Amino acid sequence: MALNISDYYDYARPIQHHRGEYKTSDSPENLIRYITRTRSYETEETKKEVALWGTHHGYFYHKSPEDIISEFKCIQKLYKAKGSLMCHYTFSISFKLFSNMRHNMLTLGNYAVDCCRYLFELGYQSCFAIHSSEKTQLHIHFVINTINFRTGKKLRQYPVEIYHNLEVPMLKLLDPYII
């Protein structure tokens, strides 16, 4: 059964945050520490919001936030990157989707890994963190280095392009989880 793109929004709703920002050299560190809740001033309550995090390698074998930050900065320095250095997305996960996954956080983690793998195949470093709390709906944060590690070219964050190049393909990766 083929789904229309609008049908995917019943399962996950992508939201891009602060498009075109994240222009300072500390943006990778600030953003990665934010989603992994590894900032120095995190409370025990906010640390508990992180259910799972990882990269295209997975969530059992994952690097420390420091290693990921270092790798992002290395590519940015190599290509003398300027302008917006990071792209930040959240995908709000519907109860319907999580039910299809039998409320299994590892299955949701597998979907997030698939998304990071897709981005890596395009040439973009990324990481994710799944957050869940009583205050917020279940959601996945994706942090993407806007500098392509193969070419040095920037990820174009214009709404139409990012919709077709990131949002739609990442939503379509939901297929094995919803059918």
Side-chain angles (χ1 to χ4, degrees):
M1 174 174 104
L3 295 175
N4 294 322
I5 192 60
S6 61
D7 296 330
Y8 289 99
Y9 289 98
D10 291 338
Y11 298 99
R13 188 159 302 274
I15 301 165
Q16 185 180 13
H17 301 280
H18 311 290
R19 181 175 68 87
E21 295 184 18
Y22 306 112
K23 296 179 179 182
T24 63
S25 62
D26 61 352
S27 293
E29 180 169 7
N30 291 341
L31 199 48
I32 291 168
R33 290 201 180 285
Y34 166 71
I35 73 162
T36 60
R37 298 297 197 250
T38 55
R39 298 172 292 190
S40 61
Y41 54 86
E42 294 293 344
T43 65
E44 288 304 313
E45 185 178 327
T46 59
K47 288 178 183 178
K48 289 179 185 176
E49 291 176 357
V50 178
L52 198 64
W53 70 276
T55 66
H56 68 282
H57 291 295
Y59 42 81
F60 288 123
Y61 167 77
H62 60 81
K63 301 170 184 180
S64 70
E66 292 78 16
D67 289 341
I68 296 169
I69 292 163
S70 176
E71 290 172 356
F72 276 41
K73 285 183 169 187
C74 179
I75 294 301
Q76 292 169 356
K77 184 177 179 181
L78 175 69
Y79 290 109
K80 298 177 177 80
K82 296 195 183 332
S84 179
L85 302 173
M86 307 295 290
C87 181
H88 179 199
Y89 260 92
T90 56
F91 278 48
S92 295
I93 304 301
S94 71
F95 181 78
K96 184 177 181 180
L97 174 60
F98 203 50
S99 293
N100 282 3
M101 294 179 173
R102 294 183 170 82
H103 300 279
N104 186 323
M105 199 60 70
L106 298 180
T107 303
L108 185 58
N110 291 338
Y111 166 68
V113 169
D114 288 346
C115 289
C116 286
R117 192 171 295 126
Y118 167 76
L119 294 165
F120 187 80
E121 288 169 3
L122 291 178
Y124 298 101
Q125 298 163 303
S126 63
C127 63
F128 73 89
I130 300 172
H131 290 191
S132 178
S133 73
E134 291 180 18
K135 296 177 188 175
T136 62
Q137 179 181 351
L138 180 64
H139 59 282
I140 308 170
H141 287 269
F142 291 99
V143 172
I144 306 163
N145 189 350
T146 61
I147 310 307
N148 188 299
F149 61 82
R150 291 188 188 111
T151 66
K153 292 185 179 180
K154 298 274 296 271
L155 174 67
R156 294 175 52 92
Q157 295 186 61
Y158 299 108
V160 171
E161 290 181 68
I162 207 145
Y163 172 80
H164 289 291
N165 296 329
L166 289 186
E167 289 180 18
V168 170
M170 289 170 71
L171 286 170
K172 286 185 176 184
L173 288 173
L174 284 169
D175 282 348
Y177 302 101
I178 59 178
I179 296 175

